[in-house]
Amino acid sequence: SQQGEEDPQALSIQEGENATMNCSYKTSINNLQWYRQNSGRGLVHLILIRSNEREKHSGRLRVTLDTSKKSSSLLITASRAADTASYFCATDAENTGFQKLVFGTGTRLLVSP
Amino acid sequence: DADVTQTPRNRITKTGKRIMLECSQTKGHDRMYWYRQDPGLGLRLIYYSFDVKDINKGEISDGYSVSRQAQAKFSLSLESAIPNQTALYFCATSNGPGLVSFGPGTRLTVL
């Protein structure tokens, strides 16, 4: 079963606007990661946030993590048409003894020029 | 050169055929994974391996088998392909509690 659920499933915005995607998960985690996937292609790692971190930045990306609510958000600021892609959160659950990423269902982002 | 490579990149086959998807990595990672992606369902774990002597089933291993021929090679087999195994397949590697590197994917169509 999927560990993470992303919200919204699809998001359509204009260039320059901010895009926020949310991820909820079910079990305690070691870390949570966000990936990007251009249509039908491989996944590209964007950012990793550990369970003891609350916020992390990378360029135009900002990720927050609330372990009490078992949720994370990804904010893309000043979006560009090139940001159009699907975005997935993935969790590395605690106490698995082995890193197994469990993926959410993804958010499809469309950024229009 | 890509760190994680998959062959073939695209494959069309018929129901009942045996198919092997291959994955090679130059990252020196011990951990390797096979994931399957279906539209709207994200990625689901098929099998994973800690080293050449360690093979573990993921959440959707039925109908699949794997072989870890060497640290750098991890192949996925469909013994008798069926149409609902049509999907995008990803190999991935990891060095532990950190980043996972994905291959470019294999698009498999079973007619």
Side-chain angles (χ1 to χ4, degrees):
Chain A
S1 60
Q2 304 284 156
Q3 157 81 306
E5 295 291 333
E6 274 125 309
D7 170 55
Q9 290 186 333
L11 179 61
S12 184
I13 60 175
Q14 300 290 314
E15 267 191 327
E17 294 180 340
N18 295 342
T20 299
M21 289 159 264
N22 302 296
C23 170
S24 60
Y25 57 92
K26 299 174 184 174
T27 64
S28 296
I29 60 172
N30 292 314
N31 63 67
L32 184 145
Q33 303 177 31
W34 284 91
Y35 288 82
R36 166 196 168 123
Q37 182 183 36
N38 287 72
S39 179
R41 299 191 177 185
L43 280 79
V44 175
H45 182 269
L46 295 176
I47 198 164
L48 179 153
I49 186 165
R50 302 192 189 283
S51 61
N52 61 354
E53 297 175 310
R54 291 297 167 258
E55 187 170 313
K56 206 159 183 181
H57 297 256
S58 177
R60 293 184 296 114
L61 306 180
R62 173 176 163 255
V63 169
T64 61
L65 179 64
D66 186 334
T67 52
S68 66
K69 295 181 179 178
K70 292 186 170 59
S71 67
S72 174
S73 67
L74 170 67
L75 169 68
I76 304 174
T77 60
S79 62
R80 305 166 182 168
D83 293 328
T84 294
S86 291
Y87 293 82
F88 294 90
C89 69
T91 53
D92 175 13
E94 264 189 353
N95 302 321
T96 61
F98 190 93
Q99 185 193 26
K100 295 187 295 178
L101 285 183
V102 180
F103 283 80
T105 51
T107 293
R108 295 186 309 279
L109 174 65
L110 173 63
V111 183
S112 301
Chain B
D1 289 339
D3 295 320
V4 185
T5 57
Q6 293 183 232
T7 56
R9 294 293 310 281
N10 289 282
R11 182 72 183 267
I12 300 173
T13 191
K14 295 181 179 180
T15 297
K17 294 291 188 181
R18 184 178 187 272
I19 294 295
M20 179 180 286
L21 309 183
E22 299 187 355
C23 176
S24 294
Q25 53 121 341
T26 59
K27 299 186 76 69
H29 290 170
D30 287 326
R31 300 174 179 182
M32 298 188 73
Y33 312 75
W34 276 103
Y35 284 90
R36 164 182 173 156
Q37 185 178 29
D38 296 275
L41 291 180
L43 277 73
R44 291 181 292 167
L45 184 61
I46 306 173
Y47 270 95
Y48 60 100
S49 168
F50 183 69
D51 63 25
V52 294
K53 298 179 182 178
D54 180 84
I55 301 290
N56 301 278
K57 293 182 178 180
E59 61 177 305
I60 54 163
S61 58
D62 287 349
Y64 300 95
S65 62
V66 291
S67 173
R68 185 81 184 266
Q69 301 96 321
Q71 188 212 30
K73 295 184 182 297
F74 192 36
S75 58
L76 175 72
S77 294
L78 288 69
E79 297 300 325
S80 180
I82 56 176
N84 75 3
Q85 291 177 312
T86 293
L88 191 53
Y89 290 85
F90 288 101
C91 175
T93 73
S94 169
N95 62 352
L99 300 182
V100 176
S101 298
F102 283 85
T106 294
R107 187 171 297 281
L108 176 66
T109 302
V110 184
L111 302 176

